[in-house]
Amino acid sequence: MCESSRLDNDGDEDLFIGGRLVPGKYPLPPPSKILINDGKGNFTDATKTIAPALDTLGMVTDALWLDVNNDQKKDLIIVGEWMPVKVFLNNGISLTDVSSSYIHFESNGWWNRIVPADMDNDGDIDLIIGNAGLNTQFSVTEKEPIELTYNDFDKNGSIDPILSYFIKGKSYPANSRDEIAEQIPFIKKKYLSYKTYSEATLKDMFTPEQSAGSHTLHANMMETIYLENKDGQFALHRLPVEAQYAPVYGIVAADMNGDGNKDILLTGSNTWTRVKFGRYTANHGVLLVGNGKGNFNYISQEESGLKIKGNIRSALLVSENKIVLGVNDEPALLLNINKK
């Protein structure tokens, strides 16, 4: 993904390029880049001098430029898969990771989208961030996150990612014996029965030598959230349960009912999942009406008229009463807003 801003305040638009993934090597983090514009449309990679931390930041899904400390310089907020919400402060020369000063909660998630808007009419910009939701087989907490451990366990030159989650206080691989054996054949010989495999943890499955060099990512928050801007600090608010029915990829913040307050439209769903985990298709367009004070109520499908289907991956307000939805492998959809 790409976001532009006048990073160095010289009057032209510079670019942040967010790296999403390394083909064939999931979940290795690809580099993200800062490209500086010379004013003639020529861009120079200045990541090493401006923000070296971006080189191994993670799998970025979305970002935006926002002046969080009111110094008239746009700062960079980034979200991604298996990533916390990241805040980089811009001093006109470099970008510094100050996330812990602005995000005061454990925020590692499967984030998909971030949208800025003044949702409580106090004059500053709040954030709405789309996540995987809670309608999955995985129940996560700060102490019991979902984890992804990756390494070349069988030393064949390819990355073997293994998903694990907690069951009754103990973390087990989410993949079946047969699924893991497709990647790592020696598992078949180590676990001759499904019963013995069902009791195994990752520490049981691999020797210290086989585990050497392993890395583990974790996610402890799956909710789609609203972050209220309180004097530059972001206060966490979890959106209503209907917002958590499916992954959120498209977000529009706008006055949908003509009362002068911003409302939220959440779109998403995902059919590209493994059979054992099921499809995430319960989002048919979730309309949350705001009261102008940062509180939101779900409007039923019968009342909102929303019957959206498909793998929605983006949503954009293109005029006062029209929203365009981007759908994977299908034509774009146009929604008309009837504020009456």
Side-chain angles (χ1 to χ4, degrees):
M1 61 78 53
C2 175
E3 283 290 316
S4 66
S5 176
R6 295 178 181 179
L7 175 63
D8 51 7
N9 291 322
D10 63 355
D12 52 41
E13 294 289 316
D14 307 305
L15 297 178
F16 165 72
I17 307 294
R20 180 64 181 90
L21 55 82
V22 179
K25 295 184 178 181
Y26 181 91
L28 289 184
S32 294
K33 301 293 184 182
I34 292 291
L35 304 183
I36 297 298
N37 191 346
D38 67 357
K40 299 179 182 179
N42 301 308
F43 292 89
T44 302
D45 183 353
T47 311
K48 289 184 178 181
T49 56
I50 292 178
L54 296 181
D55 195 54
T56 56
L57 181 64
M59 295 181 288
V60 174
T61 53
D62 205 2
L64 60 86
W65 294 96
L66 177 68
D67 183 4
V68 298
N69 61 349
N70 297 315
D71 65 352
Q72 308 306 310
K73 299 181 182 69
K74 292 290 184 69
D75 308 300
L76 184 60
I77 303 177
I78 306 171
V79 297
E81 188 175 346
W82 298 104
M83 283 179 55
V85 179
K86 303 293 286 186
V87 179
F88 286 84
L89 216 59
N90 173 20
N91 63 9
I93 300 175
S94 62
L95 292 170
T96 304
D97 186 349
V98 294
S99 304
S100 60
S101 298
Y102 290 87
I103 306 297
H104 302 291
F105 57 93
E106 289 292 323
S107 64
N108 279 67
W110 291 353
W111 307 110
N112 302 309
R113 187 72 63 227
I114 180 169
V115 167
D118 182 5
M119 302 304 300
D120 51 6
N121 295 323
D122 64 354
D124 55 29
I125 300 300
D126 310 300
L127 302 175
I128 305 130
I129 314 182
N131 208 347
L134 300 177
N135 192 14
T136 73
Q137 296 182 28
F138 313 116
S139 176
V140 306
T141 66
E142 184 176 337
K143 293 182 178 180
E144 296 187 350
I146 189 169
E147 298 174 321
L148 186 69
T149 300
Y150 63 98
N151 194 7
D152 182 5
F153 290 105
D154 52 0
K155 312 305 179 187
N156 68 348
S158 63
I159 299 296
D160 304 309
I162 301 177
L163 190 72
S164 300
Y165 64 106
F166 280 80
I167 301 173
K168 295 183 178 180
K170 197 171 184 179
S171 182
Y172 296 94
N175 305 93
S176 70
R177 171 183 174 274
D178 294 341
E179 287 173 326
I180 289 187
E182 288 179 3
Q183 290 185 207
I184 309 169
F186 68 71
I187 291 297
K188 283 186 177 180
K189 295 182 179 179
K190 185 162 186 174
Y191 297 100
L192 300 179
S193 72
Y194 293 105
K195 183 180 186 302
T196 56
Y197 174 82
S198 71
E199 299 169 347
T201 66
L202 283 188
K203 289 184 179 180
D204 301 325
M205 290 170 59
F206 304 110
T207 66
E209 292 75 20
Q210 291 167 338
S211 297
S214 295
H215 299 275
T216 298
L217 305 174
H218 71 277
N220 49 33
M221 174 171 284
M222 292 298 185
E223 294 103 322
T224 290
I225 61 174
Y226 156 61
L227 296 186
E228 179 187 1
N229 189 336
K230 288 187 173 182
D231 300 320
Q233 303 294 305
F234 291 106
L236 170 64
H237 299 277
R238 291 171 169 83
L239 289 174
V241 64
E242 291 84 1
Q244 318 301 339
Y245 284 170
V248 170
Y249 295 93
I251 302 172
V252 171
D255 181 6
M256 307 283 185
N257 59 359
D259 67 353
N261 299 317
K262 282 189 172 64
D263 312 304
I264 303 174
L265 173 65
L266 304 174
T267 60
S269 292
N270 187 358
T271 61
W272 293 304
T273 57
R274 297 189 74 87
V275 172
K276 67 176 294 181
F277 298 137
R279 292 183 169 186
Y280 306 138
T281 58
N283 186 323
H284 302 293
V286 175
L287 179 60
L288 303 177
V289 169
N291 67 352
K293 298 179 181 179
N295 299 312
F296 304 94
N297 291 316
Y298 166 69
I299 302 301
S300 69
Q301 305 304 125
E302 291 81 3
E303 189 175 351
S304 70
L306 292 168
K307 299 178 182 179
I308 301 171
K309 295 184 178 181
N311 291 287
I312 310 298
R313 288 298 175 269
S314 61
L316 181 66
L317 183 72
V318 294
S319 71
E320 185 179 352
N321 60 353
K322 293 186 184 299
I323 295 172
V324 173
L325 303 179
V327 192
N328 265 359
D329 292 334
E330 295 181 34
L333 298 176
L334 179 65
L335 300 181
N336 292 313
I337 303 173
N338 183 358
K339 295 187 178 184
K340 296 181 181 180

